[in-house]
mmCIF file of all heavy atoms in Angstrom:
data_model
loop_
_atom_site.group_PDB
_atom_site.id
_atom_site.type_symbol
_atom_site.label_atom_id
_atom_site.label_comp_id
_atom_site.label_asym_id
_atom_site.label_seq_id
_atom_site.Cartn_x
_atom_site.Cartn_y
_atom_site.Cartn_z
ATOM 1 N N ALA A 4 -3.490 10.306 -10.618
ATOM 2 C CA ALA A 4 -4.443 11.409 -10.624
ATOM 3 C C ALA A 4 -4.184 12.329 -11.816
ATOM 4 O O ALA A 4 -5.125 12.823 -12.444
ATOM 5 C CB ALA A 4 -4.370 12.183 -9.319
ATOM 6 N N MET A 5 -2.925 12.557 -12.147
ATOM 7 C CA MET A 5 -2.577 13.403 -13.289
ATOM 8 C C MET A 5 -3.052 12.774 -14.601
ATOM 9 O O MET A 5 -3.554 13.463 -15.488
ATOM 10 C CB MET A 5 -1.069 13.641 -13.316
ATOM 11 C CG MET A 5 -0.634 14.603 -14.371
ATOM 12 S SD MET A 5 -1.429 16.194 -14.103
ATOM 13 C CE MET A 5 -0.281 17.255 -14.869
ATOM 14 N N PHE A 6 -2.914 11.467 -14.700
ATOM 15 C CA PHE A 6 -3.365 10.765 -15.904
ATOM 16 C C PHE A 6 -4.884 10.896 -16.055
ATOM 17 O O PHE A 6 -5.377 11.199 -17.143
ATOM 18 C CB PHE A 6 -2.950 9.294 -15.840
ATOM 19 C CG PHE A 6 -3.420 8.495 -17.011
ATOM 20 C CD1 PHE A 6 -2.846 8.661 -18.258
ATOM 21 C CD2 PHE A 6 -4.445 7.580 -16.876
ATOM 22 C CE1 PHE A 6 -3.273 7.937 -19.352
ATOM 23 C CE2 PHE A 6 -4.886 6.848 -17.959
ATOM 24 C CZ PHE A 6 -4.298 7.020 -19.194
ATOM 25 N N GLU A 7 -5.609 10.692 -14.991
ATOM 26 C CA GLU A 7 -7.076 10.804 -15.039
ATOM 27 C C GLU A 7 -7.503 12.242 -15.341
ATOM 28 O O GLU A 7 -8.439 12.474 -16.101
ATOM 29 C CB GLU A 7 -7.694 10.321 -13.718
ATOM 30 C CG GLU A 7 -7.523 8.836 -13.485
ATOM 31 C CD GLU A 7 -8.146 7.964 -14.567
ATOM 32 O OE1 GLU A 7 -9.213 8.326 -15.098
ATOM 33 O OE2 GLU A 7 -7.553 6.915 -14.878
ATOM 34 N N TYR A 8 -6.811 13.198 -14.752
ATOM 35 C CA TYR A 8 -7.095 14.606 -15.012
ATOM 36 C C TYR A 8 -6.852 14.932 -16.490
ATOM 37 O O TYR A 8 -7.646 15.626 -17.124
ATOM 38 C CB TYR A 8 -6.230 15.491 -14.118
ATOM 39 C CG TYR A 8 -6.357 16.962 -14.416
ATOM 40 C CD1 TYR A 8 -7.492 17.666 -14.027
ATOM 41 C CD2 TYR A 8 -5.361 17.647 -15.098
ATOM 42 C CE1 TYR A 8 -7.634 19.016 -14.308
ATOM 43 C CE2 TYR A 8 -5.482 18.992 -15.385
ATOM 44 C CZ TYR A 8 -6.623 19.674 -14.991
ATOM 45 O OH TYR A 8 -6.758 21.010 -15.285
ATOM 46 N N THR A 9 -5.785 14.398 -17.043
ATOM 47 C CA THR A 9 -5.460 14.622 -18.446
ATOM 48 C C THR A 9 -6.577 14.108 -19.345
ATOM 49 O O THR A 9 -6.993 14.786 -20.292
ATOM 50 C CB THR A 9 -4.131 13.919 -18.802
ATOM 51 O OG1 THR A 9 -3.088 14.512 -18.037
ATOM 52 C CG2 THR A 9 -3.819 14.032 -20.278
ATOM 53 N N LYS A 10 -7.074 12.926 -19.067
ATOM 54 C CA LYS A 10 -8.164 12.363 -19.865
ATOM 55 C C LYS A 10 -9.408 13.240 -19.779
ATOM 56 O O LYS A 10 -10.061 13.498 -20.789
ATOM 57 C CB LYS A 10 -8.489 10.938 -19.426
ATOM 58 C CG LYS A 10 -7.420 9.943 -19.776
ATOM 59 C CD LYS A 10 -7.811 8.491 -19.611
ATOM 60 C CE LYS A 10 -8.646 8.157 -18.451
ATOM 61 N NZ LYS A 10 -8.897 6.729 -18.264
ATOM 62 N N THR A 11 -9.704 13.733 -18.585
ATOM 63 C CA THR A 11 -10.874 14.597 -18.390
ATOM 64 C C THR A 11 -10.737 15.880 -19.207
ATOM 65 O O THR A 11 -11.678 16.297 -19.891
ATOM 66 C CB THR A 11 -11.048 14.940 -16.896
ATOM 67 O OG1 THR A 11 -11.196 13.726 -16.166
ATOM 68 C CG2 THR A 11 -12.248 15.828 -16.669
ATOM 69 N N VAL A 12 -9.574 16.494 -19.143
ATOM 70 C CA VAL A 12 -9.343 17.733 -19.900
ATOM 71 C C VAL A 12 -9.454 17.467 -21.397
ATOM 72 O O VAL A 12 -10.105 18.230 -22.126
ATOM 73 C CB VAL A 12 -7.966 18.340 -19.546
ATOM 74 C CG1 VAL A 12 -7.604 19.458 -20.499
ATOM 75 C CG2 VAL A 12 -7.954 18.824 -18.113
ATOM 76 N N LEU A 13 -8.861 16.403 -21.869
ATOM 77 C CA LEU A 13 -8.908 16.087 -23.304
ATOM 78 C C LEU A 13 -10.342 15.832 -23.767
ATOM 79 O O LEU A 13 -10.720 16.251 -24.865
ATOM 80 C CB LEU A 13 -8.013 14.890 -23.617
ATOM 81 C CG LEU A 13 -6.519 15.159 -23.508
ATOM 82 C CD1 LEU A 13 -5.734 13.859 -23.674
ATOM 83 C CD2 LEU A 13 -6.062 16.190 -24.536
ATOM 84 N N GLU A 14 -11.123 15.175 -22.957
ATOM 85 C CA GLU A 14 -12.529 14.952 -23.315
ATOM 86 C C GLU A 14 -13.274 16.272 -23.430
ATOM 87 O O GLU A 14 -14.074 16.465 -24.343
ATOM 88 C CB GLU A 14 -13.207 14.061 -22.276
ATOM 89 C CG GLU A 14 -12.774 12.617 -22.352
ATOM 90 C CD GLU A 14 -13.280 11.781 -21.191
ATOM 91 O OE1 GLU A 14 -13.809 12.335 -20.199
ATOM 92 O OE2 GLU A 14 -13.121 10.549 -21.266
ATOM 93 N N LYS A 15 -12.988 17.200 -22.524
ATOM 94 C CA LYS A 15 -13.694 18.479 -22.514
ATOM 95 C C LYS A 15 -13.310 19.395 -23.667
ATOM 96 O O LYS A 15 -14.123 20.208 -24.103
ATOM 97 C CB LYS A 15 -13.465 19.198 -21.189
ATOM 98 C CG LYS A 15 -14.197 18.534 -20.046
ATOM 99 C CD LYS A 15 -14.021 19.286 -18.765
ATOM 100 C CE LYS A 15 -14.796 18.583 -17.657
ATOM 101 N NZ LYS A 15 -14.723 19.294 -16.387
ATOM 102 N N VAL A 16 -12.086 19.289 -24.161
ATOM 103 C CA VAL A 16 -11.654 20.174 -25.248
ATOM 104 C C VAL A 16 -11.663 19.480 -26.609
ATOM 105 O O VAL A 16 -11.169 20.034 -27.581
ATOM 106 C CB VAL A 16 -10.261 20.784 -24.972
ATOM 107 C CG1 VAL A 16 -10.280 21.627 -23.726
ATOM 108 C CG2 VAL A 16 -9.188 19.724 -24.912
ATOM 109 N N SER A 17 -12.221 18.305 -26.688
ATOM 110 C CA SER A 17 -12.190 17.546 -27.938
ATOM 111 C C SER A 17 -13.014 18.191 -29.056
ATOM 112 O O SER A 17 -12.918 17.788 -30.212
ATOM 113 C CB SER A 17 -12.663 16.109 -27.709
ATOM 114 O OG SER A 17 -14.006 16.089 -27.302
ATOM 115 N N PHE A 18 -13.798 19.196 -28.746
ATOM 116 C CA PHE A 18 -14.576 19.894 -29.764
ATOM 117 C C PHE A 18 -13.700 20.791 -30.643
ATOM 118 O O PHE A 18 -14.110 21.215 -31.721
ATOM 119 C CB PHE A 18 -15.679 20.737 -29.109
ATOM 120 C CG PHE A 18 -15.158 21.889 -28.294
ATOM 121 C CD1 PHE A 18 -15.014 23.135 -28.879
ATOM 122 C CD2 PHE A 18 -14.808 21.721 -26.964
ATOM 123 C CE1 PHE A 18 -14.521 24.206 -28.141
ATOM 124 C CE2 PHE A 18 -14.323 22.782 -26.216
ATOM 125 C CZ PHE A 18 -14.178 24.027 -26.801
ATOM 126 N N ASN A 19 -12.478 21.085 -30.184
ATOM 127 C CA ASN A 19 -11.608 22.008 -30.893
ATOM 128 C C ASN A 19 -10.231 21.364 -31.083
ATOM 129 O O ASN A 19 -9.542 21.074 -30.106
ATOM 130 C CB ASN A 19 -11.488 23.299 -30.076
ATOM 131 C CG ASN A 19 -10.665 24.360 -30.761
ATOM 132 O OD1 ASN A 19 -9.537 24.115 -31.190
ATOM 133 N ND2 ASN A 19 -11.220 25.549 -30.843
ATOM 134 N N PHE A 20 -9.830 21.183 -32.341
ATOM 135 C CA PHE A 20 -8.571 20.505 -32.633
ATOM 136 C C PHE A 20 -7.376 21.223 -32.035
ATOM 137 O O PHE A 20 -6.492 20.590 -31.454
ATOM 138 C CB PHE A 20 -8.383 20.365 -34.149
ATOM 139 C CG PHE A 20 -7.048 19.783 -34.515
ATOM 140 C CD1 PHE A 20 -6.816 18.430 -34.393
ATOM 141 C CD2 PHE A 20 -6.020 20.602 -34.955
ATOM 142 C CE1 PHE A 20 -5.579 17.885 -34.701
ATOM 143 C CE2 PHE A 20 -4.776 20.074 -35.280
ATOM 144 C CZ PHE A 20 -4.566 18.716 -35.150
ATOM 145 N N GLU A 21 -7.325 22.554 -32.131
ATOM 146 C CA GLU A 21 -6.175 23.299 -31.626
ATOM 147 C C GLU A 21 -6.034 23.148 -30.107
ATOM 148 O O GLU A 21 -4.931 22.937 -29.599
ATOM 149 C CB GLU A 21 -6.259 24.788 -31.997
ATOM 150 C CG GLU A 21 -5.968 25.075 -33.450
ATOM 151 C CD GLU A 21 -7.206 24.951 -34.323
ATOM 152 O OE1 GLU A 21 -8.338 25.112 -33.797
ATOM 153 O OE2 GLU A 21 -7.047 24.694 -35.526
ATOM 154 N N LEU A 22 -7.139 23.293 -29.403
ATOM 155 C CA LEU A 22 -7.101 23.135 -27.945
ATOM 156 C C LEU A 22 -6.714 21.709 -27.564
ATOM 157 O O LEU A 22 -5.903 21.498 -26.660
ATOM 158 C CB LEU A 22 -8.472 23.443 -27.342
ATOM 159 C CG LEU A 22 -8.818 24.886 -27.091
ATOM 160 C CD1 LEU A 22 -10.261 25.002 -26.612
ATOM 161 C CD2 LEU A 22 -7.892 25.482 -26.067
ATOM 162 N N PHE A 23 -7.294 20.748 -28.262
ATOM 163 C CA PHE A 23 -6.998 19.345 -27.980
ATOM 164 C C PHE A 23 -5.516 19.067 -28.179
ATOM 165 O O PHE A 23 -4.872 18.449 -27.334
ATOM 166 C CB PHE A 23 -7.850 18.460 -28.901
ATOM 167 C CG PHE A 23 -7.799 17.004 -28.552
ATOM 168 C CD1 PHE A 23 -8.635 16.481 -27.586
ATOM 169 C CD2 PHE A 23 -6.921 16.149 -29.199
ATOM 170 C CE1 PHE A 23 -8.598 15.142 -27.260
ATOM 171 C CE2 PHE A 23 -6.874 14.805 -28.886
ATOM 172 C CZ PHE A 23 -7.712 14.300 -27.913
#
Side-chain angles (χ1 to χ4, degrees):
M5 186 60 154
F6 178 72
E7 293 301 324
Y8 174 75
T9 297
K10 290 192 321 185
T11 301
V12 169
L13 290 173
E14 287 171 349
K15 288 183 179 183
V16 298
S17 64
F18 67 93
N19 183 308
F20 175 77
E21 286 87 25
L22 277 175
F23 189 85

